Amino acid sequence: MTEAERSATLAICLLAARADGKTDDRERAQLTAISETVAAGSDLARAHALSRAFQDVLVGKITLEKAAASLVTPEVKQLAFELAVVICDADGVRVPEERQFLERLRGELGLERGATEQFAQAADALAKV
């Protein structure tokens, strides 16, 4: 994964966390865990990458469309989508705004509905537990 793909993936996760209009502690914990996985380098480098992505999202420097366009390979696109689902489900079952966000993300990434729906249904089952 390139640095641009890492930043775009973190931005997508941040946008997912904000999709329902609020960011809960469980979503923040998931964001931290994802940044530890996605961002390369030391703890400081990962914190910096998450902070930079957060600032870019807040000031509108990066949008969902721009972030999605930065992802090239099908594997990275699928990973970004799945991480967004994890973020949306962190605080419980998805609300309509989160479902709309994920559908928009799926379209921007050019992913097949079947490929994303199977993962989303499995995540729904886990979120209900």
Side-chain angles (χ1 to χ4, degrees), residues 10 13 17 24-37 50 83 85-91:
L10 288 174
C13 290
D24 153 297
D25 287 340
R26 294 167 290 182
E27 290 170 327
R28 280 190 280 282
Q30 282 294 343
L31 283 168
T32 299
I34 287 170
S35 73
E36 290 172 0
T37 302
L50 186 58
L83 292 173
V85 170
V86 168
I87 293 293
C88 287
D89 285 357
D91 60 351

Side-chain angles (χ1 to χ4, degrees), residues 47-129:
H48 185 310
L50 186 58
S51 175
R52 187 177 55 238
F54 186 69
Q55 289 173 1
D56 289 348
V57 167
L58 281 180
V59 299
K61 182 178 176 182
I62 189 152
T63 62
L64 180 62
E65 295 78 14
K66 285 181 183 178
S70 297
L71 304 179
V72 181
T73 66
E75 297 82 10
V76 173
K77 290 178 181 186
Q78 186 68 32
L79 175 63
F81 181 84
E82 290 177 4
L83 292 173
V85 170
V86 168
I87 293 293
C88 287
D89 285 357
D91 60 351
V93 178
R94 273 173 253 137
V95 296
E97 296 86 357
E98 291 169 325
R99 286 193 294 276
Q100 290 169 354
F101 171 83
L102 291 171
E103 183 57 27
R104 191 169 142 229
L105 175 60
R106 185 198 60 75
E108 289 295 331
L109 293 172
L111 296 172
E112 296 283 329
R113 180 168 271 117
T116 59
E117 195 58 33
Q118 187 176 17
F119 182 83
Q121 288 175 354
D124 278 347
L126 289 173
K128 290 177 184 175
V129 173

